[in-house]
Amino acid sequence: MKNIIAIICALALLCQMAQAKIKAVWSTETALPGEKVVLALLNERDNASPLQMKQIKPGELTNGRFLARGNNYFNESIQDANGKTTGRIEVYLMLVEVGRSGKVECGDIEVTFSAGNTEQVKVPALTVLTTATVKWRDIDANMGSNATQTKFGTMWVLSPQKDYYTGQNIHAHIKLLLPLNFVQLALPTIVAPNVKADSFRSPLGGIPGAIIKQWLPFRDRIVQADKQQWIACDFVVNLIPYADTTAQGGNYDVHVSIPCVFQVEQRESGANFVFTSMHQESITLNLPKLELARPLPFPPNAPADFTDLTGQYRLKATTDAKELQMNEFVTVKLTVEGSGNLELMPCPKPQDNTHRKLETPTRNYRYSATGEITAVEYSQLMRPTAEVNGIPSFAFSYFNPETGDFQTAETAVIDLPWTATDTEGSGQVITEDGPPPAGTVPVAELRDIYHFLPNAEEGGNGAAAKTAKEWWYLLYLPGVGILLWLLGKALAVHIKAGSRQRAIGKEWAAISREKDNTLFLKKTGAFIESHLAAAAKEPEMQAILHKRDTEVFRPNGTAQLNETERAGMIKTIKKALSKLGALAAVFCCWQAQQATAADEAMDAYQAGQYTRSLQLLEKELEAGTDTRNKGELLYNIGNCHYRLNHPGQAALYYAKALTETPGLAEAKANLGFIQRKEGAVLPQKNAMEEVFTYLSMPQLWLAMVICTALLLLSIALAILLKERLKHTLRICIGISLVLSLLCLADYIYYSTRPIPDITATPPQDLAYIVQNTTARTAPLEQAGSVINLTPSTPVRILNTRGHHYYIETFTGVRGWIPTEAATRLTTP
């Protein structure tokens, strides 16, 4: 049995190898006597095929000879436009030196494969033209004092036919003969009033052309002509003539220019020296014009959809759809093949477009391994807006120059069954141009049907849209009022504390003016004990008190002080007085912290009693007491939910905390952590959005208030103090002005950004997923799934039907979920 299977596999392999077709092509379409050209054998195959060319036996060559050259076998992968490998191509190159003008012919080439089977390959003849057909032109540039080659040769070769129709391809071949000091060139450019040209390319392109360019570079393509050696370069191009209503001559003249770089010798001579240097010079070569005949007119009575498309074409339509449904998109793949100009091919239109909406199609070209376009593929999205019986026929009209008449390429109708759509309760009115029912259309296709931004008709955030923009500027008033209140409070505290400080200062000023050293030292000690008790233990203060005790309080004691000692004491007292205000402020803050140290809910949290802590915090939230900041209260509730393994509820309360206190950095960090951990579906940001949304909208507002307040304060101080602190205040004005303008630019960006800030300024219909769920195409458990949603994912509730929400994620995905799977951020 094993032997039979082995024999069958071997026979199948031999049959596959027997079907291999190898193509022989030349590297140029026409050659000149003595030119070196390449004969290439091409074998395209798939990745799984084991075929490999192992032995090449060329046939007899006439009017030329084979030249030996190593490394002439290549095996490369073929990739499509998306970079996916679709097969492989084997390339075998043979270098040939052509003979006199005429034809280069080669007998069949015998190719032996790795499996031992052989194939006979036909070789097309190569045309060799005489050098008399070359037109010589001078190079309009200084090529050096010793340069003898100041000209170049060019030759136009057109396809054999003489008469052309509008829109028909005219295949043209350009051969250039360039001087040996040629270095490089760019692709030619073309100018013609009524002729369109596709891109210039090598006669053999694609993978084989790239291999030949490396295997036989321009420097080795030497041709003898006009008693000199030249470098031969070849280009091909398709010229497509357009219709011209005028009768003037020369309307189809083609002018081509080619930017080149040459190595030029330059000499500089003086009295006793001659200096020679080489440099590269860019020169544009202008070719002789190509005169094309006026295209032949089309026959009368052209079809209505005819667009001057000329050639021979085939059209095919396929689809992966199994059924049709109201407002549900299906994809139709249209493939056009043929011998005409596929680059100008428009997308075919349906012959019956009733009750169907078409989207803009996408286009993709299919290339051969040699770089030629073999087909153009269109992907057409079609959405039925009423019951139809299938996908209609697609067609387009063209003119066939071979038969001289108009023809139509069309596809057959693709019959597909119609499936009814449940539209009850969707909240949508179905019309031919209206939005489809909720949950019946793939979410990726709903972006151009439903409004992404909130609107009142679909239950969105209508308040933000109705409120006049000017009223939102009133939000500056609380900030300015708080700043003014803080400033007034600070001034009151300063006045109250300053009166005592001033009294102490006056008392010390009187003491420091005391001339008698004994009285000065006695009063200084009393001053320290009365007003600087906290600093009395410092060494410097102890030294003053010790000197007083030893010199003043002894019987008949008198103080001995020099000016240095007296000045040092005064300096020490002033330093202690300057610290007195700061110590008082620190003490007040410490007292405030001590006042809030006792916290039963926090004690329970730190002890790991998260359920107990959550109960206490929720009771505090319901009571509405002012024992703590509400944003911090919500944040702590979120922490408890997280510790109890409720990530959805934790994210919800973190978001509530940010809504209440937008600047709560801990809540923002925790929310981001949970969403990353749970894999929440979040809005995607590009690099620019990451920069401009670094500050949330409320944080930006606060920054703008602070910057503008600092700007006004700096200006006011500059006016008040006049010349004092002039430079410092100017710096403050400049910095605050720049920061204010940056905040303004960021605010403008926020106002034009389509995605709202879902934490600081959330829309009214925002909710958070609190348990794992699946969004479905309809409010039914057996409906098709759209996307899996994890806890902490923010969504917008667009509609409600029974026990289901119709939601939209902030990536544009829509579907139905159970109401218990999501909780609104705010109560409607």
Side-chain angles (χ1 to χ4, degrees):
M1 185 65 181
K2 293 181 179 179
N3 295 334
I4 296 175
I5 295 176
I7 293 173
I8 293 174
C9 293
L11 291 175
L13 181 61
L14 290 175
C15 292
Q16 183 181 6
M17 293 179 178
Q19 295 175 356
K21 294 295 182 182
I22 298 178
K23 183 180 180 181
V25 294
W26 295 94
S27 62
T28 183
E29 296 182 356
T30 57
L32 292 174
E35 183 178 353
K36 293 181 180 66
V37 297
V38 177
L39 177 60
L41 300 182
L42 310 180
N43 179 28
E44 294 186 45
R45 58 185 180 86
D46 56 47
N47 287 324
S49 175
L51 289 178
Q52 286 186 346
M53 298 185 293
K54 286 297 183 183
Q55 185 177 354
I56 309 296
K57 184 179 179 181
E60 182 180 354
L61 186 66
T62 60
N63 195 23
R65 65 188 180 94
F66 288 105
L67 302 177
R69 194 180 183 97
N71 299 326
N72 54 351
Y73 178 78
F74 303 88
N75 187 6
E76 302 290 337
S77 61
I78 302 175
Q79 297 180 340
D80 59 14
N82 298 322
K84 181 181 179 181
T85 300
T86 58
R88 302 195 71 82
I89 182 172
E90 297 175 288
V91 182
Y92 185 86
L93 305 179
M94 290 174 282
L95 187 61
V96 176
E97 183 179 24
V98 303
R100 62 188 181 278
S101 60
K103 296 284 186 180
V104 176
E105 296 179 341
C106 181
D108 292 353
I109 299 177
E110 184 181 85
V111 178
T112 302
F113 296 99
S114 57
N117 59 311
T118 61
E119 180 178 340
Q120 300 294 324
V121 181
K122 298 287 185 183
V123 180
L126 174 64
T127 302
V128 182
L129 301 178
T130 178
T131 56
T133 58
V134 177
K135 295 183 179 180
W136 301 98
R137 292 174 70 87
D138 292 334
I139 296 177
D140 300 328
N142 180 16
M143 300 297 291
S145 58
N146 289 339
T148 57
Q149 297 175 339
T150 59
K151 61 181 180 180
F152 70 97
T154 180
M155 181 174 62
W156 280 99
V157 181
L158 297 180
S159 49
Q161 64 265 36
K162 296 182 179 180
D163 297 328
Y164 304 92
Y165 290 90
T166 299
Q168 184 177 356
N169 281 349
I170 304 175
H171 186 75
H173 174 211
I174 301 176
K175 182 177 286 292
L176 298 176
L177 300 183
L178 302 176
L180 296 181
N181 60 344
F182 157 74
V183 177
Q184 65 182 16
L185 54 75
L187 288 179
T189 58
I190 187 172
V191 176
N194 294 300
V195 177
K196 184 184 184 305
D198 58 12
S199 300
F200 282 83
R201 60 191 183 278
S202 300
L204 186 59
I207 296 175
I211 294 174
I212 291 174
K213 187 176 181 180
Q214 298 294 326
W215 194 71
L216 184 67
F218 285 141
R219 184 60 53 189
D220 296 341
R221 304 178 190 181
I222 303 300
V223 175
Q224 186 75 24
D226 197 28
K227 301 179 181 180
Q228 296 179 19
Q229 288 186 331
W230 308 86
I231 299 175
C233 304
D234 295 272
F235 295 98
V236 294
V237 66
N238 287 327
L239 306 174
I240 305 99
Y242 287 159
D244 180 26
T245 57
T246 66
Q248 299 178 1
N251 283 6
Y252 291 92
D253 292 346
V254 178
H255 300 270
V256 175
S257 58
I258 304 177
C260 297
V261 177
F262 292 90
Q263 192 77 13
V264 179
E265 181 183 275
Q266 183 176 1
R267 288 189 176 185
E268 296 181 7
S269 59
N272 299 318
F273 68 90
V274 176
F275 178 74
T276 302
S277 63
M278 301 296 294
H279 71 280
Q280 292 185 354
E281 184 171 349
S282 299
I283 300 172
T284 299
L285 305 180
N286 296 311
L287 277 59
K289 70 178 180 181
L290 174 64
E291 298 178 357
L292 296 180
R294 181 176 294 273
L296 297 175
F298 291 119
N301 302 322
D305 63 339
F306 178 65
T307 58
D308 292 350
L309 196 61
T310 305
Q312 295 174 327
Y313 303 95
R314 299 177 300 278
L315 177 61
K316 180 175 65 174
T318 58
T319 183
D320 294 333
K322 304 300 181 183
E323 61 183 18
L324 292 177
Q325 194 174 10
M326 175 76 74
N327 294 301
E328 184 170 352
F329 278 99
V330 295
T331 302
V332 183
K333 184 178 180 181
L334 303 171
T335 304
V336 182
E337 300 174 330
S339 59
N341 190 353
L342 295 175
E343 290 190 55
L344 298 181
M345 170 65 62
C347 182
K349 301 296 183 182
Q351 291 186 307
D352 181 11
N353 197 26
T354 306
H355 304 306
R356 297 176 178 90
K357 181 180 179 181
L358 302 179
E359 298 295 324
T360 303
T362 59
R363 177 188 309 198
N364 181 44
Y365 292 110
R366 190 192 303 165
Y367 294 90
S368 67
T370 56
E372 299 173 348
I373 298 178
T374 58
V376 57
E377 299 173 342
Y378 294 93
S379 181
Q380 176 68 73
L381 284 176
M382 175 180 294
R383 176 170 63 85
T385 57
E387 183 172 351
V388 293
N389 58 359
I391 296 177
S393 171
F394 286 79
F396 65 91
S397 298
Y398 64 93
F399 180 76
N400 189 339
E402 299 295 330
T403 59
D405 60 353
F406 298 101
Q407 297 180 3
T408 300
E410 61 181 321
T411 64
V413 176
I414 302 177
D415 294 324
L416 293 177
W418 178 263
T419 302
T421 303
D422 180 17
T423 61
E424 296 180 0
S426 65
Q428 305 288 341
V429 179
I430 302 301
T431 64
E432 183 170 336
D433 298 324
T440 61
V441 182
V443 291
E445 309 300 340
L446 284 175
R447 296 178 181 177
D448 63 338
I449 300 172
Y450 288 98
H451 295 288
F452 183 80
L453 293 177
N455 65 77
E457 294 180 0
E458 295 183 7
N461 187 3
K466 295 177 181 178
T467 304
K469 184 177 180 181
E470 290 76 10
W471 287 99
W472 291 98
Y473 289 110
L474 295 177
L475 292 176
Y476 280 95
L477 293 180
V480 173
I482 291 173
L483 290 175
L484 293 176
W485 177 77
L486 290 176
L487 180 60
K489 184 178 179 181
L491 290 175
V493 172
H494 178 72
I495 293 171
K496 184 177 180 180
S499 60
R500 181 172 177 270
Q501 286 293 104
R502 286 193 294 273
I504 295 174
K506 289 180 179 179
E507 182 181 349
W508 171 246
I511 294 173
S512 64
R513 291 194 297 269
E514 179 63 50
K515 301 298 183 180
D516 186 87
N517 290 334
T518 301
L519 293 177
F520 170 78
L521 195 57
K522 184 184 294 186
K523 292 181 180 179
T524 298
F527 183 85
I528 292 173
E529 291 172 343
S530 300
H531 303 298
L532 300 177
K537 296 181 181 181
E538 295 181 1
E540 295 177 346
M541 294 294 186
Q542 289 288 339
I544 296 175
L545 294 176
H546 178 72
K547 189 174 183 63
R548 179 201 65 174
D549 295 340
T550 57
E551 296 188 10
V552 175
F553 292 150
R554 64 184 179 178
N556 301 321
T558 58
Q560 301 296 325
L561 288 176
N562 55 34
E563 292 297 328
T564 302
E565 289 178 324
R566 186 183 183 94
M569 291 180 182
I570 294 175
K571 183 178 180 181
T572 301
I573 300 299
K574 287 183 176 179
K575 183 178 180 181
L577 288 174
S578 65
K579 294 180 179 180
L580 186 61
L583 291 173
V586 171
F587 178 77
C588 292
C589 294
W590 179 79
Q591 288 289 347
Q593 292 177 357
Q594 290 295 106
T596 60
D599 192 327
E600 185 179 358
M602 190 57 61
D603 291 342
Y605 179 87
Q606 293 175 350
Q609 301 173 359
Y610 304 121
T611 302
R612 171 64 176 166
S613 178
L614 179 60
Q615 292 174 350
L616 292 173
L617 292 172
E618 288 179 342
K619 184 178 180 180
E620 185 178 332
L621 180 63
E622 292 177 1
T625 59
D626 296 331
T627 54
R628 76 180 80 237
N629 178 273
K630 187 176 181 180
E632 294 180 358
L633 174 62
L634 294 168
Y635 166 80
N636 291 333
I637 293 176
N639 274 359
C640 292
H641 278 293
Y642 175 74
R643 297 300 180 186
L644 293 171
N645 198 23
H646 305 152
Q649 292 287 350
L652 175 68
Y653 276 93
Y654 289 144
K656 287 177 177 287
L658 287 171
T659 304
E660 186 69 29
T661 308
L664 193 56
E666 293 84 355
K668 182 178 180 182
N670 286 4
L671 177 61
F673 169 78
I674 289 180
Q675 290 177 331
R676 289 193 301 271
K677 181 179 178 181
E678 298 296 324
V681 181
L682 300 173
Q684 299 299 318
K685 293 183 179 181
N686 54 33
M688 184 179 70
E689 288 180 329
E690 291 287 351
V691 173
F692 278 93
T693 59
Y694 180 77
L695 294 178
S696 66
M697 192 65 172
Q699 291 172 335
L700 177 63
W701 175 82
L702 182 59
M704 193 167 186
V705 169
I706 293 174
C707 292
T708 51
L710 178 61
L711 178 61
L712 293 175
L713 180 61
S714 300
I715 295 175
L717 289 175
I719 297 174
L720 178 65
L721 300 178
K722 296 182 180 179
E723 294 299 324
R724 296 170 59 187
L725 301 178
K726 178 175 65 174
H727 298 292
T728 301
L729 291 175
R730 284 183 178 178
I731 293 175
C732 291
I733 292 173
I735 293 175
S736 57
L737 178 60
V738 171
L739 292 178
S740 299
L741 293 176
L742 290 176
C743 291
L744 178 61
D746 203 2
Y747 180 81
I748 294 173
Y749 173 81
Y750 263 112
S751 64
T752 58
R753 186 170 178 259
I755 301 177
D757 189 338
I758 60 178
T759 55
T761 56
Q764 292 181 355
D765 51 10
L766 182 68
Y768 278 82
I769 301 296
V770 294
Q771 65 184 32
N772 283 302
T773 188
T774 300
R776 301 187 180 277
T777 57
L780 302 171
E781 293 298 331
Q782 63 272 22
S785 62
V786 177
I787 188 175
N788 293 325
L789 299 175
T790 58
S792 74
T793 297
V795 296
R796 294 182 58 196
I797 298 177
L798 304 180
N799 203 350
T800 302
R801 183 188 299 179
H803 297 289
H804 285 79
Y805 286 142
Y806 185 52
I807 58 92
E808 179 185 40
T809 69
F810 284 90
T811 58
V813 180
R814 294 187 177 186
W816 293 93
I817 63 172
T819 53
E820 65 269 14
T823 302
R824 292 178 180 270
L825 183 66
T826 56
T827 304

